[in-house]
Amino acid sequence: MDLKPTGAAEARNQDQVPPRHLEQVDRAEAMRLLGTVSLGRIVFTQHALPAVRPVNHLVEGEDIILQLHDGSALAALAAPPDVSGVVVAYEADAIDPGTHLGWSVVVTGYARPVADPQELAGYAARLRPWVGQGMSTAWRITPALITGFRLEPEPEPDPDPEPAACGG
């Protein structure tokens, strides 16, 4: 099934929003952008299928800290003892629906539970859940791959390009 707008809808979309282009950002800028928002989406495997959940986060260095609901599917994740964590992807963005400008960052890495009680208490004080359920579990995502991009307006063409120099 083709979900691309056709006819009047396509013309309306093209009239309302000028063309955009993607600009990749480097790892440091991607992590800085991620730190400017508190909500993202974690992708993990549940019953051998991909699952996505919205979660709030904070950035600590290059690690992403998530606080999870007690009894949630995410809280039940467990890595085998001989690996560095559960492979997950984490995505956050800030894209304006009217202008279609903004950014998106995707982190792929290893998630593991935070075990230290002092660390847990510190994260609980800094991460405010969006729902009224108990949250006693925190996970740390250590990135292996970080990608990010900005959606920016297409540059305006130069109205008066300089003539090419002639060799003589």
Side-chain angles (χ1 to χ4, degrees):
M1 171 180 227
D2 187 11
L3 297 178
K4 183 179 173 188
T6 57
E10 184 174 10
R12 210 170 31 252
N13 286 341
Q14 289 176 353
D15 290 342
Q16 293 175 355
V17 179
R20 303 286 177 241
H21 77 275
L22 290 178
E23 177 188 312
Q24 285 195 296
V25 298
D26 65 21
R27 185 179 181 106
E29 177 65 0
M31 289 306 294
R32 187 196 71 75
L33 290 168
L34 193 58
T36 67
V37 296
S38 63
L39 182 71
R41 287 151 295 283
I42 187 167
V43 180
F44 60 101
T45 303
Q46 183 177 26
H47 306 297
L49 297 171
V52 180
R53 298 289 186 280
V55 293
N56 61 334
H57 72 268
L58 61 87
V59 175
E60 188 173 79
E62 274 206 353
D63 289 344
I64 301 154
I65 309 299
L66 313 173
Q67 194 174 22
L68 306 176
H69 299 291
D70 296 339
S72 73
L74 283 167
L77 288 178
D82 59 336
V83 298
S84 55
V86 177
V87 175
V88 298
Y90 190 75
E91 189 274 342
D93 56 52
I95 299 175
D96 183 278
T99 64
H100 298 189
L101 300 174
W103 59 267
S104 177
V105 171
V106 176
V107 172
T108 305
Y110 299 94
R112 62 188 183 284
V114 174
D116 182 88
Q118 287 184 311
E119 277 187 290
L120 282 170
Y123 297 143
R126 294 168 50 199
L127 279 164
R128 295 288 175 222
W130 288 31
V131 295
Q133 291 180 304
M135 297 186 120
S136 61
T137 305
W139 282 70
R140 175 184 309 274
I141 300 173
T142 302
L145 176 64
I146 301 172
T147 58
F149 66 86
R150 291 182 192 276
L151 274 168
E152 298 187 336
E154 195 67 46
E156 295 288 325
D158 189 356
D160 189 25
E162 300 225 0
C166 296

